[in-house]
Amino acid sequence: MSRRLSVAALFEEVSARLRLSWAQEQIGGRAFIDASENRARRPTLVGYLNLIHANKVQILGREEMAYLDGLSVRSRRATLRTMLELKPAVILVTRGLAVPADLARVANQAEVALWTSPMRGYELLTYLQYHLARALAERVTLHGVFLEVYSIGVLLTGDSGSGKSELALELITRGHRLIADDATEFTLIAPDVIDGTCPELLRDCLEVRGLGVLNVRNMFGDTAVKKNKYLRLILHLSPEQDLTTADPEARLFGSVSSRTVLGVDVPQLGIPVAAGRNLAVLVEAAVRNHVLKSGGIDAAQIFVDRQAHQMRRIR
């Protein structure tokens, strides 16, 4: 889903951090920075003055101001007109430089927001790029319980009534941390990095059948919850008969597959659910094994290699 952010909302979110102020009336505050439009037009979201592929936030520092001041009156007027015809959402003047009257006038006529800041251009550029990349990134909401187990993000999935919340509660009592229950918002913040967070409405809450909604922070303390975590592993709870445990390969390597989330393949492991099984221990073991595999230690493959070596020796 394509996301967009209004200029007024962006100003409210970052103005304190970047010491921004309006150089004129809040004209252009209702304009939007749209992620899909940005991809179609090819520029970056934020950058220094560009008259070919305009950035949505055009930054004017000392060098850019010196360039404009060095132009003839006619060329300067044409340059400013070209800059505004490219329809940037914001023009940001850095280092507390005075805003030229002609720039303020054409920005006002084009209804483009004009901001100033005493900070240096690269500081504004770095922070705005990061902020807008997160705010406009692709995101999706998945059903399940998202936890931090042994420092990695683990999503517990399964059919309704499979015991996800009860398992999460037991893992929390064992020292692991809750990020989100029922609906986790996942955001693609880099080509292969998915960040998971909890919607504000559900924050710190865990719904357990028979007990209702529990506030994990109040029950277990601040260390029992976490704001966000990168998604690294999906554990799917399924009835034991649904998993092909009779398959020799599955017996050796487990029910391993992958699930595509926002275009990224995330490892998925099936956990068989049956009466009397200690699922919390199984989850912890699965996470530890995943960490070892990520480090190049695959116990199942080592076992297969040992067996093959032994058979070669016998021959």
Side-chain angles (χ1 to χ4, degrees):
M1 180 179 65
S2 175
R3 300 182 62 82
R4 62 180 189 168
L5 179 69
S6 72
V7 170
L10 174 62
F11 181 86
E12 187 166 339
E13 291 172 3
V14 303
S15 58
R17 171 67 176 77
L18 300 181
R19 300 160 64 189
L20 299 176
S21 59
W22 291 85
Q24 54 188 13
E25 297 181 10
Q26 296 186 19
I27 294 175
R30 288 176 291 180
F32 286 90
I33 299 176
D34 193 299
S36 62
E37 177 189 356
N38 182 70
R39 286 191 293 270
R41 293 169 65 245
R42 199 171 79 168
T44 58
L45 288 167
V46 187
Y48 292 103
L49 178 62
N50 189 330
L51 298 178
I52 300 175
H53 296 292
N55 307 293
K56 294 302 291 182
V57 179
Q58 294 267 40
I59 294 178
L60 302 182
R62 285 179 179 173
E63 291 78 6
E64 290 72 30
M65 287 298 192
Y67 166 75
L68 293 174
D69 291 340
L71 298 175
S72 65
V73 174
R74 178 177 297 179
S75 297
R76 181 185 175 97
R77 188 181 301 120
T79 299
L80 292 178
R81 184 170 59 251
T82 300
M83 180 171 62
L84 273 300
E85 285 175 350
L86 292 171
K87 298 181 179 178
V90 178
I91 297 173
L92 175 54
V93 179
T94 70
R95 291 181 176 269
L97 298 172
V99 177
D102 55 349
L103 174 60
R105 183 176 61 256
V106 295
N108 184 71
Q109 292 171 352
E111 297 188 346
V112 172
L114 184 58
W115 299 346
T116 63
S117 172
M119 296 176 64
R120 290 174 290 185
Y122 80 88
E123 296 174 322
L124 299 168
L125 174 66
T126 301
Y127 188 83
L128 283 171
Q129 279 181 333
Y130 170 79
H131 184 86
L132 285 173
R134 289 190 67 97
L136 300 176
E138 293 182 77
R139 59 185 62 187
V140 67
T141 299
L142 298 181
H143 177 67
V145 184
F146 193 41
L147 300 151
E148 182 195 63
V149 181
Y150 294 134
S151 299
I152 73 168
V154 179
L155 178 65
L156 301 180
T157 64
D159 296 336
S160 179
S162 59
K164 298 184 297 296
S165 296
E166 292 88 339
L167 174 55
L169 184 60
E170 185 171 356
L171 287 167
I172 292 168
T173 63
R174 297 168 72 98
H176 306 293
R177 299 200 276 183
L178 173 71
I179 299 165
D181 177 37
D182 191 55
T184 308
E185 291 183 349
F186 289 104
T187 305
L188 185 67
I189 62 173
D192 60 347
V193 179
I194 300 172
D195 188 49
T197 60
C198 182
E200 185 66 33
L201 182 65
L202 304 176
R203 190 155 294 165
D204 302 338
C205 293
L206 179 68
E207 189 252 328
V208 181
R209 296 194 180 193
L211 298 181
V213 176
L214 308 177
N215 189 301
V216 173
R217 185 184 296 272
N218 292 341
M219 291 181 66
F220 299 97
D222 292 341
T223 59
V225 295
K226 190 172 176 64
K227 182 178 179 181
N228 65 300
K229 196 71 181 177
Y230 296 161
L231 175 62
R232 297 300 187 196
L233 180 65
I234 298 174
L235 298 179
H236 186 72
L237 306 183
S238 297
E240 189 171 23
Q241 60 270 21
D242 290 351
L243 298 176
T244 57
T245 53
D247 181 4
E249 186 171 341
R251 293 287 298 271
L252 284 171
F253 296 95
S255 301
V256 180
S257 60
S258 65
R259 178 174 176 179
T260 302
V261 179
L262 295 172
V264 179
D265 290 335
V266 181
Q268 177 172 286
L269 180 65
I271 300 291
V273 177
R277 304 202 80 186
N278 192 329
L279 295 181
V281 171
L282 292 178
V283 167
E284 290 178 336
V287 172
R288 287 180 182 272
N289 193 45
H290 174 74
V291 172
L292 289 173
K293 283 184 178 180
S294 299
I297 302 174
D298 188 336
Q301 189 60 52
I302 291 172
F303 175 76
V304 170
D305 293 342
R306 285 179 183 173
Q307 187 181 43
H309 177 68
Q310 186 67 20
M311 292 180 66
R312 286 195 297 269
R313 288 184 59 187
I314 294 174
R315 291 175 184 173

